[in-house]
Amino acid sequence: MRGKLILLGFVLLFVMVGCGPQSYFGVRNKAMIVPAEFGQTEAAIASSERSAGAKYCPEKIAKAKEMGKQAAEIYWICRTAEAMSLLEQARNLAKEAESCQPPPPPPPPPPPAKVIPPPPPPPPPPAREPNSFHSVNFDFGKSNLKPEAKVELDRAVKIMQDNPDVVLELQGNTDNVGTSAYNQALGKRRAEAVLDYMKDKGIDPNRLKEVSFGEGKPVAPNTTAAGRAQNRRVDLVIIK
C-alpha cells in the first residue's frame, strides 16, 4: 500500500509539472511553483509592446525582456531575491516604455543674420571757392580801404583759411589821371594796403604777392567817370 502511495505521488508531481508553463522569457521552467512576478512581468512587457510609446523606446522593452530572461535563469538555481529584483526592474522599464513620447521637434533655424549695409561713402570735400575774387575799388588818388572793400577782403581771408594751399597775387591798378610814374606808385600802395589788411587777419604774407600795373590794365574806358572808378582797383588773382 505504501508503495502505491509513493508511486501516486510521483505521478501527481509529473502531472503538475507537465501542466505548468513550459518557459518564461524563453527559459524552460524547472520549478513546480512559479512566483506570480514572472507572469506579471511578461504581461507588463506585452502591454508595453502594444502601447503607443513602444515605437519611441524600443530599447527599454528589449532591455526589460533581457532582464526577465536573466531572472528566469537565476531563479531556477535558487537566487530568488536577485531574480525578483530583476523582474521588478523589468516591469518598471516596461511601464516607462508605455509613457514614451516622440522626441521634440528640432528647434527652428536661427533667423538669418541681419545684413548691415556698409556705411555710405564720406561726402565729397566741399567745392573749392571760385578761382577769382571781386576786385576792391578805391577813391580817386587814394589807397585806403573802403568798408565795402574790407567785406570782400574778409571773404578772401576765409577762403584762404579753408584752402591753405592758395596763393594770391594782389594786382594794383589806377585810372589814367596823372603821370605814369605816379600811377605806378599809387597802384603799388593800393596792393600793399590789401596785403597789410589780409596779413593782419592772419594770412601768411608768403601766400600774398603784390604787384602794380599802374594805368596799364584798364577794365573800362577812362573817358567816363564810371569807367575811371572801375579802373581804380586791386584784383585778387589765384596763382596757385
Side-chain angles (χ1 to χ4, degrees):
M1 183 66 179
R2 184 177 179 183
K4 290 182 179 181
L5 290 175
I6 293 173
L7 179 60
L8 179 60
F10 277 112
V11 171
L12 291 174
L13 178 60
F14 176 78
V15 171
M16 289 174 63
V17 173
C19 292
Q22 296 300 307
S23 64
Y24 286 100
F25 304 105
V27 180
R28 186 170 181 78
N29 180 15
K30 299 179 182 179
M32 291 177 58
I33 300 175
V34 179
E37 284 82 353
F38 278 99
Q40 294 169 0
T41 304
E42 282 194 328
I45 293 173
S47 175
S48 69
E49 288 179 315
R50 296 189 299 271
S51 70
K55 61 181 177 180
Y56 302 120
C57 293
E59 71 284 352
K60 289 189 176 184
I61 296 175
K63 181 65 175 176
K65 289 181 177 180
E66 180 62 25
M67 296 175 78
K69 180 179 179 182
Q70 294 175 3
E73 290 174 343
I74 63 176
Y75 178 77
W76 312 139
I77 56 175
C78 298
R79 291 163 59 183
T80 304
E82 188 176 348
M84 294 300 104
S85 175
L86 285 171
L87 291 173
E88 182 179 5
Q89 294 178 55
R91 290 193 299 274
N92 291 337
L93 275 177
K95 187 174 181 181
E96 289 177 13
E98 289 189 23
S99 304
C100 284
Q101 299 293 325
K114 185 176 181 180
V115 178
I116 301 176
R128 185 168 173 170
E129 292 288 334
N131 292 339
S132 64
F133 299 88
H134 297 298
S135 300
V136 295
N137 296 97
F138 295 82
D139 290 333
F140 175 74
K142 304 289 185 174
S143 61
N144 56 302
L145 297 172
K146 297 193 290 186
E148 57 268 28
K150 292 180 179 180
V151 171
E152 176 60 24
L153 292 178
D154 288 340
R155 187 177 79 91
V157 166
K158 176 66 169 60
I159 292 174
M160 294 191 74
Q161 290 171 339
D162 293 341
N163 300 273
D165 59 330
V166 168
V167 176
L168 289 184
E169 185 172 79
L170 312 176
Q171 302 173 353
N173 298 273
T174 69
D175 58 26
N176 67 346
V177 178
T179 66
S180 294
Y182 172 81
N183 288 331
Q184 186 71 23
L186 179 58
K188 181 175 176 61
R189 290 197 303 273
R190 286 172 176 170
E192 289 174 343
V194 172
L195 186 148
D196 290 341
Y197 182 87
M198 297 183 73
K199 181 175 66 174
D200 290 343
K201 291 290 185 175
I203 301 302
D204 184 351
N206 292 323
R207 299 172 62 197
L208 302 169
K209 312 296 182 184
E210 53 89 12
V211 64
S212 174
F213 293 118
E215 62 187 64
K217 292 185 68 174
V219 293
N222 281 307
T223 56
T224 66
R228 290 191 295 273
Q230 291 183 55
N231 292 331
R232 297 191 293 265
R233 71 194 192 280
V234 169
D235 295 328
L236 285 70
V237 179
I238 293 178
I239 59 175
K240 179 181 178 183

